[in-house]
Amino acid sequence: MSATHTVTASIAGTPYQVSLSDGAHHWLADEPADVGGGDTAPAPMELLLSSLGACTAITLIMYAQRKQWPLTGVLVHLEMVVAADGSDITRIITLEGELDDAARERLLQIAKACPVHKLMSNPIRVVSGLAKAGESAL
């Protein structure tokens, strides 16, 4: 199954502050003050981690609701170490609610099947090109 997701990023005016939109929603990215940004929003790497965290939490809640399990909350802590030879992401999941060990183990398996986890666990190809002057990239 194939799906297309589109986001537009633009920068103008405020140093390093980027406006992002998917057409229906608008949000910002920025860099920390110590590298010249205004620190008005998450940095791009934190936005990447937030995608995995949000997807994990939503996937687990949806699954537990379908199973009618008493999952009352999910906390996902993410840390990424970026190195020249690759990056490592550590994801620690806290499940709230009266769940037995079997349900907890199944939810860990389900977390590994969330769409963003699957995307980040497989090769990703980035194709770049330039729009002609005065034309939209899309």
Side-chain angles (χ1 to χ4, degrees):
M1 183 169 89
S2 177
T4 300
H5 304 273
T6 302
V7 171
T8 301
S10 63
I11 189 168
T14 306
Y16 305 125
Q17 187 184 72
V18 178
S19 296
L20 300 141
S21 174
D22 64 3
H25 306 95
H26 304 277
W27 63 101
L28 297 174
D30 199 350
E31 287 290 342
D34 64 346
V35 296
D39 204 19
T40 61
M45 290 299 191
E46 285 71 20
L47 290 171
L48 176 67
L49 287 177
S50 70
S51 295
L52 179 59
C55 186
T56 299
I58 291 167
T59 299
L60 294 179
I61 289 292
M62 287 176 149
Y63 186 85
Q65 286 174 342
R66 279 197 307 270
K67 293 290 190 176
Q68 297 182 338
W69 289 349
L71 179 63
T72 58
V74 176
L75 173 68
V76 183
H77 177 81
L78 297 146
E79 182 176 290
M80 180 169 52
V81 176
V82 179
D85 64 341
S87 302
D88 292 307
I89 297 174
T90 301
R91 177 176 58 177
I92 304 298
I93 304 165
T94 301
L95 303 173
E96 299 172 3
E98 297 297 321
L99 300 163
D100 62 26
D101 289 342
R104 289 177 178 280
E105 188 58 37
R106 180 66 181 142
L107 287 168
L108 178 59
Q109 293 171 351
I110 294 302
K112 294 175 184 175
C114 94
V116 174
H117 179 106
K118 289 162 83 174
L119 175 77
M120 295 173 78
S121 298
N122 288 302
I124 298 173
R125 293 166 296 284
V126 178
V127 178
S128 298
L130 293 175
K132 292 180 182 177
E135 291 183 2
S136 172
L138 301 175

